[in-house]
Amino acid sequence: MDFGLFYFADGVRTGTDQYRLLLEGARFADSNGFSAVWTPERHFHEFGGRYANPAVTGAAVAAVTENVAIRAGSVVAPLHHPARIAEEWAMVDNMSGGRAGVSFAPGWHVVDFALRPENYADRRQVTMDTIDTVRRLWRQEEVELVDGAGESVKLRTHPAPVQPELPTWLTSSGNPETFRQAGDLGVGILTHLLGQSLDDLVRKVAEYREHYARAHNGTGHVALMLHTFVGDDRAKVREVVHDPFTDYLRSSLGLVLKAAEELMPGIDPDEMDPEDIEFLLEVSFERYFETGGLFGTVDDGMAVLSSLEQIGVDEVACLIDFVPDTDAVLDGLRHLARLKQRWEAR
């Protein structure tokens, strides 16, 4: 199982400190044998707003690393022209010597589509079409587009990338159909545990593998985002992550309620008392701390990784920046590296 670092922009950072964790974390990942650094695309909100373009952060990571893969987690495909995506990521591929990769997502924040309002209604189909076009352009095929005069023209994007094929994933928040689509397309799947359980994931990964094998005679790649903080004392780790992770759950209340629907069917956040919401968030925190994140000591992490291996996870994309204390997160990376080393030495 591979280990990557994933930046989700949960924690609040200001001033020149905003990107220190990204760059120092990337250097750490590069020198300690991590597989990838993933950065997201976010718009129009302080939560994550400093990550408006993963190609820009990818280029910055390329400048300070030599080995680690540089990936978008994710490009919101319907917000961009496919030729622009191909151009930007081919530049990152060249800057990094062939280390670029992209996970594509259809997007779900309606406000984000202020950038391309015409694509919101059909965003899932637009995503599929965009992936196809970007992959063709990446191979240096000519694609028919419409120019400013309304004429059809065949164009090829530049620069040509280093890699002959773009490493590609499809991002899923848990929809089984997305897992099946990724298998049919022959791309990886990037997912998380917010709104789905490990038991759910077992079934979905199995379906993904089945579709991938049938269409492409391979096994594919499953990357799982997990909030991560590893230390030498489980109680201290719990203290460090409790408030910031609970705040994250609060910001994603809809998915938390989806995950809790089995226990509380038909719940509506607009009809819940504030005390009930806080109770639900505390219950959810306990659940994720125990089984839905990479929290605690190296021993705790080994048990989690064993469970994920049985499910068929190929890479743990460690979400590290939800804790706002940059120095604490960077210090925690050495414990994560110990976990990685121990896992690989089994």
Side-chain angles (χ1 to χ4, degrees):
M1 190 183 305
D2 291 330
F3 291 71
L5 294 188
F6 200 108
Y7 291 83
F8 202 67
D10 297 348
V12 177
R13 292 172 178 83
T14 59
T16 57
D17 196 50
Q18 288 189 75
Y19 300 104
R20 182 165 71 91
L21 179 59
L22 170 66
L23 299 178
E24 292 191 24
R27 292 187 184 99
F28 184 93
D30 196 58
S31 60
N32 284 274
F34 284 70
S35 59
V37 173
W38 303 76
T39 55
E41 176 182 350
R42 296 298 176 84
H43 301 285
F44 307 124
H45 200 282
E46 291 181 0
F47 182 87
R50 66 179 172 275
Y51 285 99
N53 187 331
V56 173
T57 50
V61 171
V64 299
T65 59
E66 296 180 355
N67 306 297
V68 72
I70 302 164
R71 299 177 186 157
S74 309
V75 167
V76 183
L79 301 184
H80 308 284
H81 195 289
R84 194 68 174 135
I85 298 172
E87 288 175 342
E88 290 181 352
W89 283 94
M91 290 178 67
V92 175
D93 204 48
N94 277 275
M95 291 176 188
S96 64
R99 292 184 279 138
V102 175
S103 189
F104 291 88
W108 61 283
H109 287 289
V110 66
V111 175
D112 289 356
F113 283 81
L115 296 174
R116 295 287 296 275
E118 70 276 12
N119 283 346
Y120 182 73
D122 296 324
R123 60 193 181 279
R124 299 189 186 282
Q125 185 57 52
V126 172
T127 298
M128 296 299 106
D129 295 342
T130 296
I131 291 173
D132 177 66
T133 302
V134 170
R135 295 172 88 186
R136 289 169 56 204
L137 288 168
W138 193 271
R139 300 182 193 116
Q140 290 293 280
E141 297 178 18
E142 287 188 337
V143 170
E144 190 168 310
L145 301 172
V146 178
D147 68 13
E151 300 293 331
S152 293
V153 290
K154 290 186 176 180
L155 298 173
R156 181 182 294 117
T157 54
H158 301 279
V162 175
Q163 298 175 97
E165 292 285 343
L166 173 65
T168 305
W169 288 258
L170 190 59
T171 303
S172 174
S173 60
N175 187 336
E177 179 58 28
T178 308
F179 282 74
R180 293 189 286 267
Q181 284 180 327
D184 292 337
L185 285 170
V187 301
I189 190 83
L190 174 66
T191 190
H192 53 69
L193 290 179
L194 194 62
Q196 61 181 336
S197 68
L198 288 174
D199 289 340
D200 293 333
L201 194 59
V202 170
R203 294 188 294 272
K204 294 169 188 176
V205 168
E207 279 197 272
Y208 165 70
R209 303 285 193 201
E210 180 184 341
H211 279 250
Y212 197 108
R214 185 165 59 236
H216 300 279
N217 194 31
T219 59
H221 185 271
V222 177
L224 178 65
M225 295 176 265
L226 277 186
H227 281 80
T228 299
F229 197 98
V230 181
D232 54 13
D233 184 291
R234 180 179 175 84
K236 288 182 180 177
V237 168
R238 189 185 189 284
E239 182 180 349
V240 169
V241 305
H242 179 272
D243 288 352
F245 188 67
T246 302
D247 288 341
Y248 167 73
L249 293 173
R250 184 177 289 105
S251 73
S252 306
L253 188 58
L255 290 175
V256 172
L257 292 174
K258 179 182 175 183
E261 193 168 9
E262 191 173 301
L263 297 174
M264 304 169 63
I267 50 180
D268 182 346
D270 294 331
E271 297 180 0
M272 293 180 68
D273 292 332
E275 290 183 3
D276 292 335
I277 291 176
E278 293 305 313
F279 173 77
L280 177 60
L281 290 173
E282 191 60 33
V283 170
S284 298
F285 170 81
E286 293 298 337
R287 173 196 169 199
Y288 285 105
F289 188 82
E290 295 296 333
T291 63
L294 202 53
F295 296 133
T297 65
V298 170
D299 287 340
D300 296 323
M302 289 294 291
V304 173
L305 294 175
S306 294
S307 298
L308 298 180
E309 183 180 53
Q310 293 174 15
I311 292 172
V313 172
D314 298 298
E315 177 180 335
V316 180
C318 300
L319 290 155
I320 63 168
D321 63 341
F322 65 100
V323 173
D325 186 336
T326 296
D327 291 325
V329 176
L330 290 171
D331 183 64
L333 291 181
R334 61 189 178 92
H335 298 290
L336 180 58
R338 285 177 47 226
L339 172 59
K340 174 181 173 295
Q341 292 163 4
R342 184 167 160 188
W343 177 258
E344 293 170 346
R346 290 171 304 150

